[in-house]
Amino acid sequence: QVHDMQVRELLGDKCTSTMRQAGYEVEWEGGAPVRLGPHSFPPECAVTKEDYQRFERMLQEFDVVGTTEQFDSFLLLIAAKTGLQHLQYVRSNEGSHDRNRDALPASVTEAIDAATVFDRRAYELVEERHAELVKAMGGSGFEAKVKAFQEASKTVGGKKFIGGLPAKSPYKWVDKKAADGAGVQPAVPGSFTEPTGGGQAVAYIYFDPVSLVSSDSSPRCIKGCNLDA
């Protein structure tokens, strides 16, 4: 029912606000949802050839692109372009479902292919563009750096840190009331463009006010806490 979600999300004007909507109609009976049948989406939500051409032009505006499978290479390209440091990370939202396409019934793979015509074209185009960027950065020499980054990975406390163990962060996010109650002053790194942290202060699905403070202070870390080993 919901086709070409990746391209639609990037374009931003193809019914993007309904992208997470269920593919079926629901009626509530006795406090429980009952499926009534497939949900219909307006025809203007569909990605057209002209929309895909807009995506192609948009892609040219990005200095670095990559797919999920190329994430480490993408990350090192970002670092090369911007000087970004401390690249180590822990993977999240990996899921536990089987990704083996060959194990799926033919009817399922046919439905997936029908729903991702432009997404698959976009994926291939991004892979091609990424390969061009890697070649421009030295080709096999850059790929060797990516391999070395991956081989430096370490596992601590059940968490695998890709690229090795990170330096301990000097800061942590805590509940603002807890910080105020403990008399802990907020930290304002030089990279902040807004004293409270702006969007970062309301990220990670923690809705009460938060403060960035020294990692050595007493209040408990409440978000972004998995970034340290």
Side-chain angles (χ1 to χ4, degrees):
Q1 288 291 322
V2 185
H3 290 196
D4 300 305
M5 290 184 67
Q6 299 299 307
V7 172
R8 285 173 55 201
E9 188 155 28
L10 282 163
L11 291 175
D13 60 359
K14 302 296 292 185
C15 308
T16 311
S17 62
T18 64
M19 287 181 60
R20 302 298 183 266
Q21 189 172 350
Y24 47 84
E25 300 286 0
V26 170
E27 183 177 89
W28 289 85
E29 295 183 3
V34 177
R35 296 189 185 188
L36 301 180
H39 175 74
S40 59
F41 291 87
E44 58 266 25
C45 294
V47 175
T48 65
K49 290 182 179 179
E50 291 74 21
D51 292 325
Y52 184 75
Q53 289 171 351
R54 284 199 292 135
F55 164 78
E56 290 179 311
R57 293 193 295 270
M58 180 187 296
L59 195 67
Q60 297 305 314
E61 300 299 320
F62 288 91
D63 292 322
V64 181
V65 299
T67 64
T68 303
E69 289 79 3
Q70 301 162 329
F71 182 77
D72 293 337
S73 177
F74 170 83
L75 185 61
L76 267 66
L77 282 172
I78 289 283
K81 292 279 186 178
T82 66
L84 183 68
Q85 301 179 52
H86 310 301
L87 305 181
Q88 301 87 353
Y89 70 95
V90 177
R91 290 177 180 148
S92 62
N93 297 331
E94 289 189 283
S96 58
H97 57 278
D98 188 353
R99 291 177 171 80
N100 183 6
R101 178 185 171 94
D102 295 335
L104 298 173
S107 60
V108 174
T109 57
E110 289 171 4
I112 292 173
D113 289 345
T116 58
V117 173
F118 286 110
D119 273 358
R120 286 182 287 117
R121 286 177 59 183
Y123 184 93
E124 292 172 0
L125 183 60
V126 169
E127 282 197 318
E128 292 173 6
R129 174 63 178 145
H130 184 85
E132 293 172 359
L133 294 170
V134 169
K135 183 177 180 181
M137 286 298 296
S140 59
F142 180 80
E143 290 172 344
K145 291 181 180 179
V146 175
K147 184 178 180 181
F149 175 77
Q150 294 169 332
E151 291 178 345
S153 301
K154 303 286 184 182
T155 300
V156 175
K159 296 186 293 187
K160 184 176 182 179
F161 290 83
I162 310 301
L165 299 182
K168 181 176 174 57
S169 172
Y171 309 112
K172 62 183 177 182
W173 288 105
V174 302
D175 185 274
K176 186 177 186 302
K177 287 183 179 179
D180 291 345
V184 176
Q185 295 298 310
V188 184
S191 58
F192 272 23
T193 57
E194 203 276 331
T196 65
Q200 286 297 315
V202 293
Y204 305 110
I205 319 178
Y206 189 88
F207 300 107
D208 293 328
V210 298
S211 290
L212 187 71
V213 300
S214 168
S215 60
D216 296 328
S217 60
S218 60
R220 180 177 63 87
C221 177
I222 51 85
K223 65 178 185 176
C225 314
N226 65 330
L227 302 180
D228 285 328

